[in-house]
């Protein structure tokens, strides 16, 4: 397929490269010249502006920082230049209202929209093993699924437009809270005199087992390879976790959901990412702040 790709950052660059690797003709755009050059080296066709990544395409993928960026690109580039029946896939993580608004904007012009935020981080984006949570009509999902499958290992239809974003922020609220609980537990186990490898061997096979422990352990040298083994560099930045937690808090407030654990996780990540100025470090690095405390 001829696919436009707008947004070639840490996640988008790897995703666009995997589409090109799968045989698609990818017309890629980013404001960064360095990102465009890397996309070209990966088999994409760099273009001069976002509109050129839309004109004549069968589908367009956007991977942008926030709702305001997605709204602007849809209003100024996508909707104006898209042909009837074009499929547009927004893989950014944004607020649910923005996702629904741009979907309505697209549908009013005869364009098929899906919101398809991702889970998995930079390594999964580069490796083509992302998980996509997709919001959109059944028709749009069926058309989007093969494209998303070329970038990921799992593509799940969450419901109508906006449902993908809702699933993403609920998932990441749980992830943020469980990572903090995992970090706290390891530090307490250490202070109680337990050998941490031995504790891992026990808890990873007991009722305390969770993904943050067994797949992404925040303690160096324990469990599978993780950012903890690389000085907490790479992986999923703490600033991005904070962004997702704040989106979750906005969503919870909008529907009157009580989320005390989510609120505490958001407060702690704000302290770590902003107060400790560790926003670029992996989110599991919050264990260092807890250790200081």
């Amino acid at each position: 397929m001829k696919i436009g790709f707008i947004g070639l950052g840490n996640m988008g660059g790897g995703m666009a490269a995997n589409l090109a690797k799968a045989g698609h003709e990818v017309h890629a755009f980013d404001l960064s010249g360095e990102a465009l050059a890397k996309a070209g080296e990966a088999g994409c066709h760099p273009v001069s502006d976002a509109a050129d990544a839309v004109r004549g395409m069968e589908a367009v993928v956007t991977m942008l920082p926030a709702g305001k960026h997605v709204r602007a690109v849809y209003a100024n580039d996508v909707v104006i230049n898209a042909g009837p029946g074009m499929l547009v896939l927004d893989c950014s993580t944004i607020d649910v209202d923005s996702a629904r608004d741009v979907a309505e904007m697209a549908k009013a012009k005869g364009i098929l929209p899906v919101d398809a935020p991702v889970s998995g981080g930079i390594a999964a984006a580069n490796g083509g093993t992302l998980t996509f949570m997709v919001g959109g009509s059944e028709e749009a999902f069926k058309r989007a699924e093969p494209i998303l499958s070329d970038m990921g290992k799992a593509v799940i239809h969450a419901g109508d437009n906006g449902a993908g974003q809702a699933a993403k922020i609920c998932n990441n609220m749980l992830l943020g809270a469980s990572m903090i609980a995992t970090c706290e537990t390891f530090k307490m186990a250490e202070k109680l005199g337990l050998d941490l490898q031995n504790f891992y061997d026990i808890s990873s096979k007991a009722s305390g087992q969770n993904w943050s422990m067994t797949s992404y352990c925040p303690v160096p040298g324990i469990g599978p390879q993780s950012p903890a083994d690389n000085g907490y560099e790479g992986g999923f930045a703490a600033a991005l976790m904070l962004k997702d937690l704040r989106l979750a808090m906005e969503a919870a407030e909008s529907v009157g959901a009580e989320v005390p654990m989510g609120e505490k996780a958001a407060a702690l990540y704000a302290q770590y990412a902003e107060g400790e100025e560790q926003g670029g470090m992996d989110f599991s690095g919050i264990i260092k702040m807890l250790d200081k405390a």
Side-chain angles (χ1 to χ4, degrees):
M1 293 180 66
K2 293 182 69 174
I3 301 174
F5 203 109
I6 302 172
L8 304 169
N10 289 333
M11 297 291 291
M15 293 165 65
N18 281 318
L19 288 176
K21 184 179 178 180
H24 299 289
E25 181 182 327
V26 181
H27 292 236
F29 174 72
D30 194 274
L31 293 174
S32 165
E34 182 181 354
L36 280 174
K38 287 183 179 179
E41 293 169 2
C44 301
H45 303 274
V47 296
S48 59
D49 57 38
D52 283 340
V54 179
R55 297 188 189 101
M57 298 296 108
E58 297 171 76
V60 173
V61 180
T62 50
M63 189 62 164
L64 300 166
K68 63 181 181 180
H69 304 107
V70 176
R71 287 176 182 270
V73 166
Y74 268 63
N76 299 328
D77 301 293
V78 174
V79 171
I80 295 172
N81 295 291
M86 177 186 282
L87 177 68
V88 290
L89 310 88
D90 180 43
C91 295
S92 320
T93 296
I94 61 175
D95 59 286
V96 176
D97 286 343
S98 289
R100 289 173 176 163
D101 287 348
V102 297
E104 290 304 313
M105 192 188 306
K107 287 190 283 188
K109 294 292 185 177
I111 305 167
L112 282 177
V114 297
D115 49 286
V118 306
S119 178
I122 297 171
N126 292 334
T129 58
L130 292 167
T131 293
F132 291 89
M133 296 151 264
V134 188
S137 68
E138 192 67 40
E139 177 189 0
F141 174 75
K142 286 180 180 178
R143 285 185 54 188
E145 188 173 17
I147 297 172
L148 297 173
S149 294
D150 286 332
M151 299 183 286
K153 65 178 181 180
V155 182
I156 304 166
H157 194 190
D160 207 351
N161 292 107
Q165 297 294 349
K168 171 66 186 286
I169 59 176
C170 287
N171 178 78
N172 277 25
M173 183 177 74
L174 178 58
L175 173 61
S178 67
M179 177 56 78
I180 290 171
T182 299
C183 291
E184 288 178 337
T185 300
F186 271 107
K187 297 316 298 182
M188 185 172 75
E190 184 178 47
K191 291 178 186 298
L192 288 170
L194 292 174
D195 175 82
L196 295 188
Q197 180 63 59
N198 182 255
F199 172 68
Y200 174 87
D201 293 340
I202 294 169
S203 192
S204 64
K205 297 176 179 63
S207 56
Q209 185 274 333
N210 64 85
W211 186 90
S212 293
M213 172 183 285
T214 57
S215 297
Y216 212 90
C217 188
V219 181
I222 295 180
Q225 185 81 13
S226 73
D229 300 307
N230 191 38
Y232 301 98
E233 294 183 354
F236 184 51
L240 295 178
M241 172 54 78
L242 177 58
K243 169 196 166 185
D244 290 357
L245 287 167
R246 284 174 169 166
L247 288 174
M249 295 307 97
E250 292 173 9
E253 183 177 1
S254 72
V255 295
E258 294 294 330
V259 289
M261 294 294 289
E263 289 175 358
K264 185 62 175 178
L268 286 170
Y269 271 105
Q271 183 181 343
Y272 177 61
E274 297 177 341
E276 296 281 319
E277 298 183 349
Q278 297 292 311
M281 304 300 287
D282 184 74
F283 81 111
S284 63
I286 198 169
I287 194 171
K288 297 188 295 181
M289 185 184 82
L290 298 174
D291 192 25
K292 290 177 186 176

